[in-house]
Amino acid sequence: MRFTMIATYLAIIVATLVLMIVYIIGLLSESLYSSETINMFAKANIISETIADVWSNDTSATAADRFADIVERSLAGTSIRGVVTNTSYTVLYDTNGESELIGKVFMRDALKRALDGEQAEVISDGESDMRMISVAVPIEIGGDIVGGVYLAETVNTIDDTIHSTQTSLIVFSALIIILIGMLSLGMSYIITSPMEEFTAAAREISKGNFSVRVNVKGQSEISQMGETLNYMCDELEQLEEKRRKFVSDASHELKTPMAGIKLICDSLVSAENLEPAVVKEFLSDMSDEVDRLTRIVERLLVLTKLDAGGNSLKMEECDIKVLINQVVRKLTPMATAKDIVMYTDYHDRNFAPILIDYDKIYEAIYNISDNAIKYSPEGGYVHIDVTADNDYLTIKIEDNGPGIPEGERDRIFERFYRPDDSRARDTGGTGLGLAITKEAVLMHNGTIDVANVSEVGSVFTVRLPYKVNAV
């Protein structure tokens, strides 16, 4: 990844710099050549107009004396060569006296075009790789072309300027590439080093080592990724701890009835000449242990389905009063056996149907009410009340049992947790009922909490979103 990042950065920078150099050199070359050409055209036109004013109709070679000074003054301080010809291409004046062209024919493409009435320019390669700019303009007197002005100049200085600029840009670009390469290398280490640490941490997590953590520095996106990874490790570690505890608790809970069944079987096998009544008592105890084992397994299966998301909600419109009345009717025989009064206070209230999964909410209310009866003393009570507002339907289940210590109120919804373990086993509890209840309520986006009524008793409050379909 580090090499890919560096190669990518460098490729982008090199391509950008090459395009920049090509564009700048092209623009500079066009600008310099255009500027020099315009300058030469300006001088050629000045010379042409001045010659036209003083030349009159005498186009003989001796007339050169009249405008030689004009040409020399116009081209003073430059390296431009100037040639003046008549329409027969005969040289009337040449600033290069050594050429000995005066009176001779001087043919050039630009000059021919000028005598045809154009303002011509030509850029050509001369001898010894010398590039030249040539311009030619006609000389007109009274609308008639009587001759031409031809100017030529080598442009090696322009080419030297372009080459010098190009070299400077290349050197500057090379320095930029080296600098960016070094910065890219440093940045790649800064970026990829945490990624390598994340990768190593991910490998450890895949092996089941959830205690691994990565170092987090700063507030960058990379740091946020590290915080997220650490948070995930925390969650996985907690989940693994809960899983281990669940397996341990489940094994312990299953072991207890199995041990009871084993003890009863051993007693039956080792005993001789047992009375039928004794055998029946042993078998009754064994049946109780099997029932207890069955309840644990069934509740474990329910929790497993809830954890796996296999139990999706089957939402339907339900009358909450009918649901609670069925719970009360089901548990009344148990309450009567303990001389516990089970009553409700919502008979004179009307509630619109609520959208819930009937079976899950029924089991939730049943589990809470069943615990209330089991933990309330004989002669006690279990009170169920229902209220509603625009957002929530609230179900309260109150008893006068021993209450729940404040430090244990959150833990009672944990799996296999019992405030009074020995008493819970006597009542046949599995320690899973309230865990299932909480899962069912949370699946409905509801809440459940518990508080003590006074010195004795507790009240469970279930709040469900009041999602009602208009009839």
Side-chain angles (χ1 to χ4, degrees):
M1 181 178 178
R2 184 177 296 127
F3 174 77
T4 302
M5 290 179 62
I6 296 174
T8 301
Y9 291 152
L10 290 180
I12 293 173
I13 295 301
V14 169
T16 302
L17 290 175
V18 168
L19 292 175
M20 182 187 71
I21 291 173
V22 171
Y23 175 76
I24 291 175
I25 295 301
L27 189 65
L28 177 62
S29 177
E30 181 181 355
S31 176
L32 291 177
Y33 277 102
S34 176
S35 176
E36 187 62 23
T37 302
I38 293 173
N39 179 51
M40 292 177 68
F41 268 125
K43 292 181 180 298
N45 281 298
I46 291 173
I47 294 171
S48 173
E49 291 174 1
T50 306
I51 289 174
D53 289 339
V54 299
W55 195 358
S56 68
N57 293 324
D58 186 2
T59 59
S60 65
T62 58
D65 295 336
R66 305 179 192 177
F67 53 78
D69 186 58
I70 298 172
V71 177
E72 290 179 359
R73 282 190 289 106
S74 297
L75 300 180
T78 70
S79 59
I80 300 175
R81 178 186 180 184
V83 177
V84 180
T85 70
N86 57 21
T87 54
S88 299
Y89 300 100
T90 300
V91 176
L92 302 179
Y93 179 77
D94 184 2
T95 57
N96 184 7
E98 297 179 358
S99 64
E100 299 180 353
L101 287 177
I102 296 177
K104 298 179 181 180
V105 175
F106 183 76
M107 293 288 294
R108 292 293 187 271
D109 181 64
L111 187 58
K112 179 179 182 302
R113 290 161 55 191
L115 295 178
D116 290 336
E118 298 181 29
Q119 293 203 6
E121 66 171 294
V122 174
I123 299 176
S124 60
D125 294 326
E127 298 178 357
S128 303
D129 296 328
M130 294 178 61
R131 289 171 59 81
M132 298 184 63
I133 297 179
S134 303
V135 300
V137 298
I139 301 173
E140 298 182 20
I141 298 176
D144 296 325
I145 297 175
V146 296
V149 176
Y150 173 85
L151 301 182
E153 181 186 25
T154 61
V155 290
N156 284 0
T157 54
I158 294 178
D159 290 340
D160 290 343
T161 301
I162 293 172
H163 292 155
S164 176
T165 303
Q166 184 175 2
T167 301
S168 298
L169 288 174
I170 292 174
V171 172
F172 179 70
S173 299
L175 293 176
I176 290 178
I177 292 172
I178 293 173
L179 178 61
I180 292 179
M182 296 174 62
L183 291 175
S184 299
L185 183 61
M187 287 296 296
S188 67
Y189 272 102
I190 294 174
I191 295 174
T192 59
S193 293
M195 299 302 294
E196 291 175 354
E197 187 178 2
F198 296 165
T199 302
R203 290 196 186 100
E204 291 297 317
I205 293 172
S206 67
K207 296 176 183 178
N209 180 14
F210 303 129
S211 62
V212 65
R213 298 293 183 275
V214 297
N215 295 323
V216 177
K217 298 178 181 178
Q219 299 294 326
S220 64
E221 289 78 3
I222 299 294
S223 299
Q224 293 176 9
M225 289 177 60
E227 292 176 353
T228 302
L229 183 61
N230 287 341
Y231 175 77
M232 182 184 71
C233 290
D234 291 338
E235 294 296 313
L236 288 174
E237 191 172 24
Q238 293 179 13
L239 184 62
E240 178 64 13
E241 182 62 28
K242 289 181 180 179
R243 185 191 68 80
R244 290 176 180 173
K245 186 176 184 302
F246 177 78
V247 171
S248 175
D249 291 342
S251 300
H252 178 73
E253 292 295 328
L254 292 172
K255 182 180 178 181
T256 302
M258 294 297 292
I261 294 172
K262 180 70 166 72
L263 179 62
I264 294 171
C265 290
D266 290 344
S267 300
L268 287 173
V269 171
S270 61
E272 298 180 359
N273 301 321
L274 290 175
E275 296 291 334
V278 176
V279 174
K280 185 175 181 180
E281 182 179 353
F282 275 130
L283 293 177
S284 177
D285 292 341
M286 185 183 295
S287 178
D288 291 340
E289 293 297 334
V290 171
D291 289 342
R292 181 180 174 186
L293 184 62
T294 301
R295 288 195 300 272
I296 293 174
V297 172
E298 288 176 347
R299 299 235 162 160
L300 284 174
L301 290 174
V302 171
L303 282 173
T304 301
K305 290 180 179 179
L306 290 175
D307 289 340
N311 267 7
S312 57
L313 293 176
K314 300 176 181 178
M315 305 296 282
E316 58 181 323
E317 288 189 345
C318 300
D319 188 333
I320 195 65
K321 292 170 62 175
V322 172
L323 184 150
I324 294 178
N325 288 339
Q326 288 183 350
V327 172
V328 172
R329 186 163 48 252
K330 181 74 173 179
L331 292 175
T332 295
M334 183 189 300
T336 301
K338 290 186 64 175
D339 194 23
I340 292 175
V341 177
M342 194 173 186
Y343 66 99
T344 58
D345 276 342
Y346 50 76
H347 302 289
D348 57 343
R349 303 173 196 161
N350 293 319
F351 302 100
I354 182 173
L355 287 173
I356 57 173
D357 185 313
Y358 184 91
D359 292 336
K360 287 184 174 57
I361 297 302
Y362 176 89
E363 184 171 14
I365 303 303
Y366 182 94
N367 288 339
I368 298 173
S369 303
D370 179 57
N371 282 348
I373 294 172
K374 289 177 180 178
Y375 286 94
S376 293
E378 293 186 3
Y381 68 88
V382 174
H383 173 217
I384 303 177
D385 190 20
V386 181
T387 57
D389 56 29
N390 293 332
D391 299 316
Y392 288 93
L393 185 140
T394 304
I395 305 168
K396 291 186 178 182
I397 302 173
E398 180 183 342
D399 61 54
N400 66 335
I404 301 172
E406 184 176 355
E408 297 182 350
R409 290 174 192 168
D410 292 334
R411 299 196 62 194
I412 62 173
F413 297 104
E414 295 179 7
R415 300 171 184 185
F416 297 113
Y417 180 79
R418 302 182 183 89
D420 187 348
D421 193 66
S422 60
R423 184 174 181 184
R425 295 185 190 280
D426 293 338
T427 60
T430 63
L432 297 173
L434 290 181
I436 294 174
T437 297
K438 184 175 181 179
E439 290 289 340
V441 173
L442 293 179
M443 288 179 70
H444 286 77
N445 295 321
T447 62
I448 180 171
D449 56 57
V450 60
N452 286 352
V453 178
S454 56
E455 294 182 358
V456 294
S458 59
V459 55
F460 282 79
T461 304
V462 176
R463 301 179 76 236
L464 300 172
Y466 207 5
K467 299 178 181 179
V468 182
N469 281 346
V471 179

PDB file of all heavy atoms in Angstrom, residues 124-145:
ATOM      1  N   SER A 124      12.303  30.684 -40.534  1.00  0.00           N
ATOM      2  CA  SER A 124      13.018  29.632 -41.255  1.00  0.00           C
ATOM      3  C   SER A 124      14.306  29.286 -40.535  1.00  0.00           C
ATOM      4  O   SER A 124      14.782  30.025 -39.663  1.00  0.00           O
ATOM      5  CB  SER A 124      13.325  30.093 -42.683  1.00  0.00           C
ATOM      6  OG  SER A 124      14.140  31.266 -42.652  1.00  0.00           O
ATOM      7  N   ASP A 125      14.867  28.110 -40.911  1.00  0.00           N
ATOM      8  CA  ASP A 125      16.146  27.678 -40.379  1.00  0.00           C
ATOM      9  C   ASP A 125      17.238  28.096 -41.350  1.00  0.00           C
ATOM     10  O   ASP A 125      17.214  27.722 -42.534  1.00  0.00           O
ATOM     11  CB  ASP A 125      16.175  26.161 -40.198  1.00  0.00           C
ATOM     12  CG  ASP A 125      15.201  25.710 -39.121  1.00  0.00           C
ATOM     13  OD1 ASP A 125      15.015  26.460 -38.147  1.00  0.00           O
ATOM     14  OD2 ASP A 125      14.626  24.603 -39.248  1.00  0.00           O
ATOM     15  N   GLY A 126      18.201  28.866 -40.844  1.00  0.00           N
ATOM     16  CA  GLY A 126      19.296  29.297 -41.695  1.00  0.00           C
ATOM     17  C   GLY A 126      20.488  28.372 -41.560  1.00  0.00           C
ATOM     18  O   GLY A 126      20.370  27.214 -41.158  1.00  0.00           O
ATOM     19  N   GLU A 127      21.627  28.907 -41.915  1.00  0.00           N
ATOM     20  CA  GLU A 127      22.845  28.120 -41.817  1.00  0.00           C
ATOM     21  C   GLU A 127      23.274  27.974 -40.363  1.00  0.00           C
ATOM     22  O   GLU A 127      22.985  28.818 -39.517  1.00  0.00           O
ATOM     23  CB  GLU A 127      23.961  28.809 -42.614  1.00  0.00           C
ATOM     24  CG  GLU A 127      23.651  28.933 -44.102  1.00  0.00           C
ATOM     25  CD  GLU A 127      24.762  29.677 -44.838  1.00  0.00           C
ATOM     26  OE1 GLU A 127      25.709  30.121 -44.151  1.00  0.00           O
ATOM     27  OE2 GLU A 127      24.662  29.792 -46.063  1.00  0.00           O
ATOM     28  N   SER A 128      24.001  26.885 -40.085  1.00  0.00           N
ATOM     29  CA  SER A 128      24.541  26.605 -38.738  1.00  0.00           C
ATOM     30  C   SER A 128      23.431  26.579 -37.698  1.00  0.00           C
ATOM     31  O   SER A 128      23.571  27.107 -36.586  1.00  0.00           O
ATOM     32  CB  SER A 128      25.603  27.648 -38.351  1.00  0.00           C
ATOM     33  OG  SER A 128      26.641  27.682 -39.291  1.00  0.00           O
ATOM     34  N   ASP A 129      22.280  25.982 -38.103  1.00  0.00           N
ATOM     35  CA  ASP A 129      21.129  25.838 -37.187  1.00  0.00           C
ATOM     36  C   ASP A 129      20.661  27.175 -36.632  1.00  0.00           C
ATOM     37  O   ASP A 129      20.222  27.275 -35.474  1.00  0.00           O
ATOM     38  CB  ASP A 129      21.481  24.891 -36.028  1.00  0.00           C
ATOM     39  CG  ASP A 129      21.753  23.484 -36.493  1.00  0.00           C
ATOM     40  OD1 ASP A 129      21.125  23.082 -37.487  1.00  0.00           O
ATOM     41  OD2 ASP A 129      22.586  22.798 -35.855  1.00  0.00           O
ATOM     42  N   MET A 130      20.777  28.205 -37.435  1.00  0.00           N
ATOM     43  CA  MET A 130      20.308  29.518 -37.000  1.00  0.00           C
ATOM     44  C   MET A 130      18.886  29.731 -37.502  1.00  0.00           C
ATOM     45  O   MET A 130      18.615  29.630 -38.690  1.00  0.00           O
ATOM     46  CB  MET A 130      21.220  30.620 -37.550  1.00  0.00           C
ATOM     47  CG  MET A 130      22.632  30.584 -36.980  1.00  0.00           C
ATOM     48  SD  MET A 130      23.686  31.874 -37.698  1.00  0.00           S
ATOM     49  CE  MET A 130      22.821  33.346 -37.204  1.00  0.00           C
ATOM     50  N   ARG A 131      17.995  30.017 -36.574  1.00  0.00           N
ATOM     51  CA  ARG A 131      16.607  30.298 -36.945  1.00  0.00           C
ATOM     52  C   ARG A 131      16.457  31.791 -37.177  1.00  0.00           C
ATOM     53  O   ARG A 131      17.060  32.614 -36.481  1.00  0.00           O
ATOM     54  CB  ARG A 131      15.645  29.817 -35.852  1.00  0.00           C
ATOM     55  CG  ARG A 131      15.553  28.296 -35.780  1.00  0.00           C
ATOM     56  CD  ARG A 131      14.755  27.859 -34.553  1.00  0.00           C
ATOM     57  NE  ARG A 131      13.402  28.392 -34.553  1.00  0.00           N
ATOM     58  CZ  ARG A 131      12.366  27.883 -35.224  1.00  0.00           C
ATOM     59  NH1 ARG A 131      12.562  26.812 -36.007  1.00  0.00           N
ATOM     60  NH2 ARG A 131      11.169  28.416 -35.162  1.00  0.00           N
ATOM     61  N   MET A 132      15.618  32.123 -38.153  1.00  0.00           N
ATOM     62  CA  MET A 132      15.452  33.526 -38.515  1.00  0.00           C
ATOM     63  C   MET A 132      13.979  33.873 -38.665  1.00  0.00           C
ATOM     64  O   MET A 132      13.164  33.027 -39.075  1.00  0.00           O
ATOM     65  CB  MET A 132      16.167  33.833 -39.836  1.00  0.00           C
ATOM     66  CG  MET A 132      17.670  33.607 -39.799  1.00  0.00           C
ATOM     67  SD  MET A 132      18.457  34.107 -41.346  1.00  0.00           S
ATOM     68  CE  MET A 132      18.095  35.846 -41.367  1.00  0.00           C
ATOM     69  N   ILE A 133      13.689  35.130 -38.317  1.00  0.00           N
ATOM     70  CA  ILE A 133      12.367  35.698 -38.590  1.00  0.00           C
ATOM     71  C   ILE A 133      12.540  36.727 -39.692  1.00  0.00           C
ATOM     72  O   ILE A 133      13.374  37.637 -39.582  1.00  0.00           O
ATOM     73  CB  ILE A 133      11.764  36.363 -37.347  1.00  0.00           C
ATOM     74  CG1 ILE A 133      11.521  35.349 -36.230  1.00  0.00           C
ATOM     75  CG2 ILE A 133      10.451  37.060 -37.704  1.00  0.00           C
ATOM     76  CD1 ILE A 133      10.950  35.958 -34.969  1.00  0.00           C
ATOM     77  N   SER A 134      11.759  36.567 -40.756  1.00  0.00           N
ATOM     78  CA  SER A 134      11.808  37.521 -41.879  1.00  0.00           C
ATOM     79  C   SER A 134      10.434  38.126 -42.056  1.00  0.00           C
ATOM     80  O   SER A 134       9.416  37.407 -42.034  1.00  0.00           O
ATOM     81  CB  SER A 134      12.230  36.801 -43.167  1.00  0.00           C
ATOM     82  OG  SER A 134      13.486  36.169 -42.994  1.00  0.00           O
ATOM     83  N   VAL A 135      10.387  39.453 -42.216  1.00  0.00           N
ATOM     84  CA  VAL A 135       9.132  40.140 -42.509  1.00  0.00           C
ATOM     85  C   VAL A 135       9.360  41.038 -43.718  1.00  0.00           C
ATOM     86  O   VAL A 135      10.470  41.521 -43.951  1.00  0.00           O
ATOM     87  CB  VAL A 135       8.633  40.967 -41.309  1.00  0.00           C
ATOM     88  CG1 VAL A 135       8.395  40.084 -40.110  1.00  0.00           C
ATOM     89  CG2 VAL A 135       9.589  42.092 -40.964  1.00  0.00           C
ATOM     90  N   ALA A 136       8.302  41.253 -44.485  1.00  0.00           N
ATOM     91  CA  ALA A 136       8.404  42.122 -45.673  1.00  0.00           C
ATOM     92  C   ALA A 136       7.100  42.857 -45.852  1.00  0.00           C
ATOM     93  O   ALA A 136       6.020  42.268 -45.651  1.00  0.00           O
ATOM     94  CB  ALA A 136       8.738  41.300 -46.902  1.00  0.00           C
ATOM     95  N   VAL A 137       7.189  44.148 -46.176  1.00  0.00           N
ATOM     96  CA  VAL A 137       6.002  44.968 -46.416  1.00  0.00           C
ATOM     97  C   VAL A 137       6.216  45.740 -47.713  1.00  0.00           C
ATOM     98  O   VAL A 137       7.362  46.054 -48.087  1.00  0.00           O
ATOM     99  CB  VAL A 137       5.734  45.933 -45.242  1.00  0.00           C
ATOM    100  CG1 VAL A 137       5.473  45.169 -43.958  1.00  0.00           C
ATOM    101  CG2 VAL A 137       6.898  46.900 -45.049  1.00  0.00           C
ATOM    102  N   PRO A 138       5.164  46.053 -48.426  1.00  0.00           N
ATOM    103  CA  PRO A 138       5.318  46.812 -49.682  1.00  0.00           C
ATOM    104  C   PRO A 138       5.529  48.302 -49.413  1.00  0.00           C
ATOM    105  O   PRO A 138       5.117  48.830 -48.376  1.00  0.00           O
ATOM    106  CB  PRO A 138       3.980  46.555 -50.381  1.00  0.00           C
ATOM    107  CG  PRO A 138       3.010  46.322 -49.280  1.00  0.00           C
ATOM    108  CD  PRO A 138       3.766  45.636 -48.194  1.00  0.00           C
ATOM    109  N   ILE A 139       6.142  48.958 -50.365  1.00  0.00           N
ATOM    110  CA  ILE A 139       6.265  50.425 -50.346  1.00  0.00           C
ATOM    111  C   ILE A 139       5.288  50.959 -51.394  1.00  0.00           C
ATOM    112  O   ILE A 139       5.372  50.594 -52.573  1.00  0.00           O
ATOM    113  CB  ILE A 139       7.691  50.876 -50.692  1.00  0.00           C
ATOM    114  CG1 ILE A 139       8.701  50.283 -49.701  1.00  0.00           C
ATOM    115  CG2 ILE A 139       7.796  52.403 -50.695  1.00  0.00           C
ATOM    116  CD1 ILE A 139      10.153  50.556 -50.095  1.00  0.00           C
ATOM    117  N   GLU A 140       4.351  51.775 -50.963  1.00  0.00           N
ATOM    118  CA  GLU A 140       3.304  52.262 -51.857  1.00  0.00           C
ATOM    119  C   GLU A 140       3.390  53.783 -51.974  1.00  0.00           C
ATOM    120  O   GLU A 140       3.532  54.489 -50.969  1.00  0.00           O
ATOM    121  CB  GLU A 140       1.924  51.850 -51.343  1.00  0.00           C
ATOM    122  CG  GLU A 140       1.728  50.339 -51.283  1.00  0.00           C
ATOM    123  CD  GLU A 140       0.319  49.978 -50.817  1.00  0.00           C
ATOM    124  OE1 GLU A 140      -0.570  50.845 -50.908  1.00  0.00           O
ATOM    125  OE2 GLU A 140       0.131  48.841 -50.351  1.00  0.00           O
ATOM    126  N   ILE A 141       3.272  54.227 -53.195  1.00  0.00           N
ATOM    127  CA  ILE A 141       3.205  55.678 -53.468  1.00  0.00           C
ATOM    128  C   ILE A 141       1.996  55.907 -54.366  1.00  0.00           C
ATOM    129  O   ILE A 141       1.934  55.410 -55.496  1.00  0.00           O
ATOM    130  CB  ILE A 141       4.480  56.187 -54.163  1.00  0.00           C
ATOM    131  CG1 ILE A 141       5.711  55.981 -53.266  1.00  0.00           C
ATOM    132  CG2 ILE A 141       4.351  57.669 -54.523  1.00  0.00           C
ATOM    133  CD1 ILE A 141       7.020  56.377 -53.911  1.00  0.00           C
ATOM    134  N   GLY A 142       1.024  56.653 -53.839  1.00  0.00           N
ATOM    135  CA  GLY A 142      -0.183  56.922 -54.606  1.00  0.00           C
ATOM    136  C   GLY A 142      -0.961  55.681 -54.940  1.00  0.00           C
ATOM    137  O   GLY A 142      -1.614  55.597 -55.981  1.00  0.00           O
ATOM    138  N   GLY A 143      -0.902  54.668 -54.072  1.00  0.00           N
ATOM    139  CA  GLY A 143      -1.651  53.442 -54.292  1.00  0.00           C
ATOM    140  C   GLY A 143      -0.934  52.417 -55.126  1.00  0.00           C
ATOM    141  O   GLY A 143      -1.445  51.298 -55.327  1.00  0.00           O
ATOM    142  N   ASP A 144       0.221  52.794 -55.644  1.00  0.00           N
ATOM    143  CA  ASP A 144       0.995  51.849 -56.454  1.00  0.00           C
ATOM    144  C   ASP A 144       2.177  51.320 -55.651  1.00  0.00           C
ATOM    145  O   ASP A 144       2.833  52.067 -54.912  1.00  0.00           O
ATOM    146  CB  ASP A 144       1.519  52.533 -57.710  1.00  0.00           C
ATOM    147  CG  ASP A 144       0.386  52.985 -58.619  1.00  0.00           C
ATOM    148  OD1 ASP A 144      -0.631  52.260 -58.664  1.00  0.00           O
ATOM    149  OD2 ASP A 144       0.528  54.063 -59.234  1.00  0.00           O
ATOM    150  N   ILE A 145       2.453  50.037 -55.815  1.00  0.00           N
ATOM    151  CA  ILE A 145       3.596  49.414 -55.143  1.00  0.00           C
ATOM    152  C   ILE A 145       4.831  49.697 -55.977  1.00  0.00           C
ATOM    153  O   ILE A 145       4.910  49.322 -57.148  1.00  0.00           O
ATOM    154  CB  ILE A 145       3.388  47.893 -54.989  1.00  0.00           C
ATOM    155  CG1 ILE A 145       2.172  47.607 -54.089  1.00  0.00           C
ATOM    156  CG2 ILE A 145       4.631  47.242 -54.402  1.00  0.00           C
ATOM    157  CD1 ILE A 145       1.823  46.149 -53.973  1.00  0.00           C
TER     158      ILE A 145
END
